[in-house]
Amino acid sequence: MELCPSIKNILLLDSEGKRIAVKYYSDDWPTNAAKEAFEKAIFTKTQKTNARTEAEITMFENYVVVYKFVQDLHFFVTGGENENEIILATVLQGFFDAVGILLRGTVDKKEALENLDLILLCLDEIVDGGIILETDANVIAGKVASHSIDAGAPLSEQTISQALATAREHLTRSLLK
């Protein structure tokens, strides 16, 4: 028995069951075809449920799946059959809320596709290699937002460390000229 809770995958699908953003942290699905078959099967099983107000939990093919829908997006977090449902639901809620913050409350397929880079960074901040790193949506969104600010952004929109790095870069360039 593992001591640390782990995640098998995190899926963000559209209202037709097609991929928006997915991350697999387990070799339980070795091929892309197996992954797509799992996504289609879990979507088909859950599409008629009413998981819009709060997360739902189901057992599916010996996995615990926690899911929630909003607009035309379907959020899923999958864990092993012995995984704690509350931990999986916390990961799902952190992902769901962080996406809501990053998309400024407009959580739909169009916004998700336009900001896919932020959603993928969000997944990277939540789970790494199946190990849960963070579940607080504000912390996740803050880290993602700090990664997405470029050096050309105004100093008022940068953190202190980013501003110092930008200043150091400008100083280095001016000294090398």
Side-chain angles (χ1 to χ4, degrees):
M1 181 175 173
E2 294 182 26
L3 298 175
C4 187
S6 66
I7 302 296
K8 299 285 187 183
N9 64 43
I10 299 179
L11 311 173
L12 178 57
L13 306 176
D14 68 8
S15 59
E16 298 169 358
K18 304 272 191 280
R19 289 181 173 185
I20 303 286
V22 299
K23 283 275 185 155
Y24 284 83
Y25 306 102
S26 160
D27 292 332
D28 294 2
W29 303 274
T31 65
N32 197 40
K35 292 173 184 175
E36 288 176 353
F38 176 79
E39 293 162 20
K40 181 176 179 164
I42 195 68
F43 176 79
T44 303
K45 178 178 171 107
T46 61
Q47 72 179 354
K48 293 193 176 19
T49 62
N50 187 17
R52 297 205 177 271
T53 54
E54 55 186 60
E56 297 282 335
I57 301 168
T58 189
M59 283 294 291
F60 181 74
E61 297 179 0
N62 294 325
Y63 298 103
V64 176
V65 180
V66 183
Y67 58 97
K68 187 171 184 173
F69 309 151
V70 64
Q71 302 285 355
D72 52 357
L73 295 178
H74 297 221
F75 294 77
F76 298 90
V77 173
T78 307
E81 65 182 325
N82 296 321
E83 203 57 69
N84 186 326
E85 295 89 355
I86 295 172
I87 292 174
L88 296 176
T90 303
V91 171
L92 174 71
Q93 195 63 46
F95 178 43
F96 180 82
D97 291 344
V99 168
I101 292 168
L102 292 167
L103 299 182
R104 295 175 180 84
T106 310
V107 183
D108 61 15
K109 180 179 177 180
K110 180 179 178 276
E111 282 294 317
L113 289 171
E114 288 175 359
N115 295 286
L116 189 58
D117 58 334
L118 298 179
I119 292 173
L120 292 173
L121 281 171
C122 189
L123 290 172
D124 290 341
E125 292 294 337
I126 296 170
V127 177
D128 184 26
I131 305 299
I132 302 165
L133 302 176
E134 185 62 65
T135 58
D136 184 328
N138 292 316
V139 172
I140 296 162
K143 287 180 179 178
V144 169
S146 70
H147 288 304
S148 67
I149 292 178
D150 60 3
L155 288 179
S156 63
E157 295 181 14
Q158 295 184 6
T159 64
I160 300 276
S161 60
Q162 288 172 323
L164 288 172
T166 302
R168 188 177 311 118
E169 188 178 316
H170 287 293
L171 179 64
T172 304
R173 273 198 223 127
S174 66
L175 291 174
L176 292 175
K177 286 184 180 177

